[in-house]
Amino acid sequence: MSVDFSLYNKVFENRIRLQIMSVLMANEGYDFSSLKDLLDVTDGNLASNLKTLEKEGYITVEKSFVDRKPNTRYKRTDKGAKAFENHLSALENLIKQQYK
Amino acid sequence: MSVDFSLYNKVFENRIRLQIMSVLMANEGYDFSSLKDLLDVTDGNLASNLKTLEKEGYITVEKSFVDRKPNTRYKRTDKGAKAFENHLSALENLIKQQYK
């Protein structure tokens, strides 16, 4: 009757990180300003959660200039994609358990 | 392309609280020692997360004696059940979004 939570990932407990990763799974890349608008969070909150994902090796950061303005772009890594899929599996198991 | 996270509940971000609530949805009531064995957590960790759920009004606590030994039993409230169902809906939406 207990759900297998071995795939549950503490990194994705946080709502903002869950959302960032969800966006980066659906898109090849996403820049900081667009992520900020989409998730409706402060610069500091977004930056700190992006940093956590980067430290885990779940996303990569590319800094460049677009029309002479600095642009910071984020992409998922294969490791991040796998970890996120595992986490969703754990959540799916939990949901299935409820409706059994 | 963004997922509706309005039903996402910070109280259930924590894995232990998610598991406690999952158990209390599937069972009318559960006692402290059985929860501890099931979730494989320390007394302190379990007690602190149960307290958080109790403060939110999501679970109730019943203290009694069984065979002259103190027994602490937890039950979900209607408010808790509703909040948990809403949270699972938010997670379900996220999962659906990924496999679309």
Side-chain angles (χ1 to χ4, degrees):
Chain A
M1 75 128 279
S2 184
V3 177
D4 177 12
F5 261 71
S6 57
L7 297 172
Y8 193 87
N9 190 328
K10 274 194 82 71
V11 176
F12 299 125
E13 278 195 341
N14 177 284
R15 183 181 69 88
I16 308 299
R17 292 200 286 275
L18 198 60
Q19 286 182 292
I20 292 169
M21 208 61 202
S22 169
V23 171
L24 293 183
M25 293 295 281
N27 299 273
E28 269 312 303
Y30 227 79
D31 67 65
F32 189 89
S33 322
S34 310
L35 262 181
K36 185 175 175 286
D37 292 344
L38 188 66
L39 305 187
D40 195 23
V41 281
T42 61
D43 278 34
N45 193 352
L46 181 57
S48 128
N49 284 305
L50 284 165
K51 182 57 78 182
T52 300
L53 290 171
E54 192 194 346
K55 274 186 192 160
E56 291 289 333
Y58 290 172
I59 63 172
T60 55
V61 188
E62 277 169 30
K63 288 176 193 279
S64 63
F65 285 85
V66 175
D67 296 334
R68 292 188 187 173
K69 285 181 201 150
N71 181 279
T72 309
R73 200 170 166 80
Y74 300 89
K75 290 183 178 182
R76 66 174 182 276
T77 63
D78 288 346
K79 183 186 176 188
K82 186 70 199 152
F84 189 68
E85 279 165 6
N86 282 341
H87 183 71
L88 291 192
S89 295
L91 297 180
E92 246 186 318
N93 289 340
L94 176 79
I95 291 167
K96 275 187 205 145
Q97 167 83 16
Q98 294 304 315
Y99 298 125
K100 206 164 60 176
Chain B
M1 75 126 279
S2 183
V3 176
D4 176 13
F5 261 72
S6 57
L7 296 175
Y8 193 87
N9 189 328
K10 274 194 83 68
V11 176
F12 299 125
E13 277 195 341
N14 176 284
R15 183 180 70 89
I16 308 299
R17 292 199 287 273
L18 199 60
Q19 287 183 290
I20 293 169
M21 207 62 200
S22 169
V23 171
L24 295 183
M25 292 296 281
N27 300 274
E28 269 312 303
Y30 227 81
D31 67 66
F32 189 89
S33 322
S34 309
L35 262 180
K36 185 174 175 289
D37 291 344
L38 189 65
L39 305 187
D40 196 24
V41 282
T42 61
D43 279 34
N45 193 352
L46 181 57
S48 128
N49 284 304
L50 284 165
K51 182 59 78 182
T52 301
L53 291 171
E54 192 193 346
K55 275 187 190 158
E56 291 288 334
Y58 290 173
I59 63 172
T60 54
V61 188
E62 277 169 29
K63 288 176 193 279
S64 63
F65 284 84
V66 175
D67 296 333
R68 292 190 187 174
K69 285 181 202 150
N71 181 279
T72 309
R73 201 171 165 80
Y74 300 89
K75 289 184 176 180
R76 67 175 180 274
T77 63
D78 289 346
K79 184 186 175 188
K82 184 73 199 148
F84 189 68
E85 280 166 5
N86 283 341
H87 183 70
L88 290 192
S89 296
L91 296 180
E92 246 185 320
N93 289 339
L94 175 80
I95 291 166
K96 276 186 204 144
Q97 168 82 15
Q98 294 304 318
Y99 298 125
K100 207 163 62 178

